[in-house]
Each structure stands twice: as structure tokens, then as C-alpha cells.
Amino acid sequence: MRRALLRWTGLMALVVVSAVGASGCSSAGAGGAGGTKVTVLAAASLTEPFNAIKDEFTKQHPALTVEVSYGSSSALASQITNGAEADVFASADQANMAKVTGGDLVAGAVEVFARNTMAIVVPTGNPRGIRELKDLTGAGLRISLGAPPVPVGKAAREGFAKAGLRVPAATEEPDVKAVVSRVALGEADAGIAWVTDVRATKQGVELVEIPAGHNVVSDYPIVRLAAGKNGHGATALIEFIRSKSGQDILRRYGFQTI
Amino acid sequence: MILGAVAALLFVLPLIGLVIRVPWPDLGTYLADPRVLDALWLSLVCSLGATVVCLVFGIPLAWLQVRVSFPGRGLLRAITTLPVVLPPVVGGVALLLVFGRKGFVGEPLYNLTGISLPFTTAGTILAEAFVAMPFLILTIGGALQSMDTRLEDAARTLSASRWTVFWRVTLPTIRPSLIAGTVLCWARALGEFGATITFAGNFPGRTQTLPLAVYVALETDTAAAITLSMVMLAISLGVLIGLRRHWFGVQ
């Protein structure tokens, strides 16, 4: 009996090991139903404005419902190239949009609907007195950056290059929210993030602006996808996002509008 | 039988999915990439380090939980099993709140010594040990519970000290479970992702183990991510096949 139990525990453990081993990936919210539902894949940095846009849009179009799945733009792009059934893709940069526009995956033109700029994120009260990019090279500072392939990590390195600086990172985070949370939790003394992500963080951080000369602007493109079942709804949503009401919402969350 | 086959497919198909996408001709190039070698080396160092930590502290804890009766023993058992079911990311956050620079252990430690575990290799080892140790404790605890204690009693009547009994009688008796528990613990540490990236961050050569490298590689280079995954699969599968006799009684 005990032996059996032991063996069973071993098996259970084996299952858990293999299940937990590769966590961290999310799947697309692919909805099959056509007609009334518009399925959107959107960059994680769009979470707050797109939730507001969703509410406002469905108020104006009561016959439609909108379902948004948020994730890093690169993860969403690979979901699309692997056949995710969605109507609209909103990316945080052109590089990830370019991954889906090559073939016959998109229906319609790619349009830029917002812009984001970089900022230095520091703990509330700015205890290390950081005023500009150059201050990040100070001895003993722990800096949180995005990993080089992540848009915010790539942009930060471009900014450093423009300013002629070498800033060593303490950690290379997989997405911009993680960059900010390192600072919010006090593990990092500063980081480089998009303005909107710093503003969206409720506690523990504030932003230090980066002058235009050293800043990097990221264009946010949007496109209708060919695999979607609700082309009409998708077009209406994209039009709404580019209209004054949509742009007002985006501006409220710190985006620069078109 | 059909249901069993369906279940088997659930495990076999993803494996096939990976294998057929491996860029075999470029395998050598990918594996020789210094970042891959760094991650592989760091993974081995950290997982072995975590296993040593687990053995040094986990065996006494398992012994304590089985052989010594004290109030709250059941609760302690539950708590030490928790990382098995807890999402590793939550475990990582919990570790940060304790050992982070603002944590209630980490802050005094940092102020006194200037040592801070997050973003260090030691932090990676701690995160891996936290997640992996329960597997060792569970396996050894089970063996301690089911072993014939009369052997230990006999040794004691022959005036062996407590330490000698443990070292010469108890450990050799539970040897198969000790080996299985150690390997299981090591394998779990090797595959650790959530607690590591949350607590120790991600920096090549310092805290970026193979699972983290896979995750970051997925952002840009799917082929590299698949190749790295194959390396992990090969290591894990090798270990599990080596252990199959223990679990399934295959001769």
C-alpha cells in the first residue's frame, strides 16, 4: 500500500514537473463566432486605453461586442503567423507588425494610430536624484532594462547610443511592465520604459522625462486581419480608434496622437 | 485503451511538434552561440547548486517532519509542500517580499552587508531551491515513513550514536528514494522558470538560465528557442529514462 502510494507520488511529481517546466506563455483568445464579435490582439501597453475604447465603442455600436487579448507584440505576431483567428492586430512597434504584413495575413492597409515615447522610471520621490540619462551610469545603481529583442529594450539602447552612453543593466526584463515593476518593488533604482506604462502603474513610481534629442518614438500600427470573421466590425473599430473620440482616450493615457 | 492512447498523444504530439521544427542543419551554429553556452553552463551550475542546498537542508527537514513529533507538524508539512502547487511566479514574488532589497530579511541584510540576492546567481539558486526542495522532501519523507525502524533500534541497542545510526543505517536504507528524490529535485531546478525570472531577473551569464533564454529567444528567433528547448528536452528525457526502473519497476 505504502509502496503504491510512494510510486503514485513519484508519478504526480513527474506530471507536475513537466507541466510547470515551460510556463509563461499565453494563448490567443481566438473566438470562432462571426457576426457580432470583434476579436482584437493588442500590445500589452494598450491595455488601459483599449479597455476604455472597448466600452465607448460598444456603447456606440450596441450590436457588436469586442474581445481583446493583450500580450507582447512579438508573441501576438507569432500567434497570428501560426494561424490565430482574430479580426484586428494592434502592435507596439512597426517591426512586429512587419512580421505579419509580408504574406496574405492582412486585409487592408497598416495605419499608425498612436505614438509612445520613452521615459526614465524611478521610485516615488526619486531617492537617487536622477535627472537625465547620464545619471543612469552612476556607480552602484541597479538599472532595469527590457531585453534587447523587446521593443522597449531596443529603444532604450538606441537612446543610450544617441546620448553616447554605456549603461550596464542589472536585469533584462521580458516586457515593459516587468521593467517598471522592478522599480516599483524597489529592486532596481531606475529603468527605461514607455511613458504610458509608467503612468499606468498605480503605485511606487514616477517618471523623469527624456529630451526629444535622446528619446525614441515608437509608432503603434493597427491592421485588419484576413483570418477574421468580422471584417465589417473590424473596420468600424479601427475607424473609431482613429476618430477624435478614440484619439482622446489614447491621449488621456499618455499616448501621443496622430 | 483508446482513452489511454488519447492521453499518450497529448504528451507525444507536442514533442513531435518540437522535433520536426528543429533546424537540424543549423543545430551546431545555434549550440555554439556564446549566449546559449552561457545559459547552459549557468543552468547546470545553478541546478546543481540548488540540489546541494536541498540535500543539506532538505534531508534534515524531511527527517524532522517524519521522526520528531511536535505541535504544528501537519501544518509545516503542508507549508513545505506548497511550492509544488503554488504558481512559481507567486513563489518568486513571495521571495522578493522577504529577500528583496525592501524585504523584511533582505533590507537589514543589504544595510548590514551590502549583499542583495535579486539579480545574482545566488538568487537564482535560492529561487530554484525553493521550488525544487519539496520534491526531495516528499520523496525522502515517504521513504523514511515506510522504512523498517527496527533496524535503527537494533543499531542503537548496539550503542551506535544517533549520527552513526543516521549515516550508516537510515541513509543506506532509503538509498533508492534518496537518489530518485535528488534527481527529481535537480530536474525541477533545471526547468525552473517562473520563480527565477521573478526573483532573480534575467541577465545573460548571471541569472539567465536555459528556460529564461528560451523565453527571451521566442521574442525574436523561434528557431533558436526551439533548439534550446530541444537541449532541455534531451537532458530531462535522459534523466527520466535513467530513472524509469525506479518508478515503473521495469527491469
Side-chain angles (χ1 to χ4, degrees):
Chain A
M1 177 63 204
R2 279 234 169 98
R3 273 201 75 81
L5 194 72
L6 212 71
R7 202 171 283 174
W8 193 80
T9 326
L11 264 175
M12 272 291 290
L14 182 73
V15 170
V16 175
V17 167
S18 29
V20 172
S23 65
C25 311
S26 60
S27 62
T36 62
K37 191 165 81 178
V38 186
T39 308
V40 181
L41 300 180
S45 50
L46 291 167
T47 306
E48 291 81 13
F50 267 37
N51 282 337
I53 281 172
K54 181 174 118 180
D55 292 346
E56 195 56 38
F57 177 75
T58 45
K59 227 179 272 170
Q60 291 187 13
H61 299 81
L64 295 173
T65 57
V66 177
E67 195 179 272
V68 193
S69 170
Y70 298 104
S72 84
S73 301
S74 51
L76 297 175
S78 60
Q79 282 171 12
I80 294 166
T81 51
N82 282 305
E85 250 179 42
D87 297 297
V88 175
F89 174 42
S91 166
D93 64 356
Q94 296 280 17
N96 284 300
M97 179 58 83
K99 291 181 193 165
V100 307
T101 50
D104 49 4
L105 294 168
V106 299
V110 176
E111 293 173 297
V112 173
F113 67 97
R115 296 198 166 93
N116 212 342
T117 52
M118 295 193 309
I120 305 172
V121 51
V122 293
T124 309
N126 197 355
R128 308 295 292 252
I130 286 154
R131 299 269 161 263
E132 51 180 334
L133 280 182
K134 195 164 59 114
D135 296 339
L136 299 181
T137 57
L141 282 183
R142 299 210 297 192
I143 310 295
S144 161
L145 297 180
V150 181
V152 74
K154 208 168 78 190
R157 285 164 182 83
E158 275 173 44
F160 295 148
K162 282 186 189 178
L165 297 170
R166 261 209 76 236
V167 178
T171 181
E172 297 181 344
E173 296 296 324
D175 63 67
V176 57
K177 301 275 180 200
V179 171
V180 178
S181 89
R182 289 291 175 206
V183 178
L185 284 169
E187 290 311 324
D189 300 301
I192 301 282
W194 301 117
V195 167
T196 56
D197 294 289
V198 186
R199 291 218 182 142
T201 306
K202 304 278 186 292
Q203 283 174 343
V205 293
E206 58 185 56
L207 61 82
V208 176
E209 281 180 25
I210 301 173
H214 296 161
N215 214 319
V216 174
V217 176
S218 182
D219 286 343
Y220 279 56
I222 194 164
V223 76
R224 186 158 70 85
L225 296 170
K229 296 218 169 84
N230 193 346
H232 184 69
T235 309
L237 180 66
I238 293 174
E239 264 171 28
F240 177 80
I241 290 169
R242 291 171 51 82
S243 75
K244 187 176 175 307
S245 333
Q247 297 282 300
D248 282 347
I249 293 172
L250 284 159
R251 203 172 308 121
R252 204 158 73 220
Y253 288 94
F255 283 94
Q256 294 186 348
T257 48
I258 303 306
Chain B
M1 197 164 113
I2 293 170
L3 294 178
V6 170
L9 281 180
L10 179 66
F11 297 102
V12 174
L13 288 181
L15 194 64
I16 294 174
L18 267 180
V19 171
I20 56 176
R21 288 285 300 274
V22 171
W24 296 108
D26 306 327
L27 199 63
T29 326
Y30 278 116
L31 293 182
D33 184 332
R35 278 176 86 109
V36 172
L37 293 177
D38 275 357
L40 181 60
W41 174 246
L42 190 71
S43 277
L44 292 175
V45 168
C46 290
S47 58
L48 289 173
T51 307
V52 170
V53 170
C54 291
L55 284 171
V56 170
F57 296 98
I59 295 175
L61 181 56
W63 187 84
L64 207 66
Q65 285 182 355
V66 172
R67 292 297 165 79
V68 182
S69 180
F70 53 91
R73 184 166 76 161
L75 183 65
L76 183 66
R77 268 189 196 165
I79 291 172
T80 54
T81 314
L82 215 51
V84 175
V85 285
L86 202 68
V89 174
V90 176
V93 171
L95 285 174
L96 265 185
L97 298 178
V98 178
F99 297 106
R101 218 163 43 160
K102 293 281 161 67
F104 60 83
V105 174
E107 189 162 22
L109 181 76
Y110 180 67
N111 291 340
L112 285 173
T113 63
I115 294 172
S116 171
L117 288 171
F119 312 144
T120 64
T121 304
T124 305
I125 293 175
L126 178 70
E128 289 184 357
F130 172 80
V131 174
M133 204 189 295
F135 292 91
L136 182 76
I137 294 176
L138 281 176
T139 319
I140 293 183
L144 283 174
Q145 198 143 40
S146 57
M147 79 172 271
D148 188 351
T149 51
R150 283 176 304 182
L151 288 170
E152 293 168 314
D153 295 339
R156 255 194 297 277
T157 59
L158 298 171
S159 74
S161 73
R162 230 167 142 170
W163 177 248
T164 312
V165 173
F166 180 74
W167 199 245
R168 303 289 296 274
V169 179
T170 313
L171 277 188
T173 313
I174 62 165
R175 210 178 80 118
S177 298
L178 182 63
I179 294 171
T182 306
V183 175
L184 196 59
C185 169
W186 170 76
R188 182 64 190 90
L190 184 75
E192 217 306 300
F193 172 80
T196 308
I197 198 163
T198 313
F199 179 65
N202 172 53
F203 194 85
R206 204 186 311 140
T207 65
Q208 190 186 69
T209 55
L210 267 181
L212 274 60
V214 170
Y215 186 66
V216 174
L218 268 178
E219 297 276 329
T220 40
D221 193 348
T222 317
I226 290 171
T227 312
L228 284 174
S229 306
M230 272 314 292
V231 174
M232 291 221 57
L233 262 175
I235 297 174
S236 315
L237 210 58
V239 169
L240 294 175
I241 288 172
L243 270 182
R244 71 196 188 283
R245 195 157 30 135
H246 183 81
W247 279 319
F248 300 107
V250 176
Q251 294 302 311

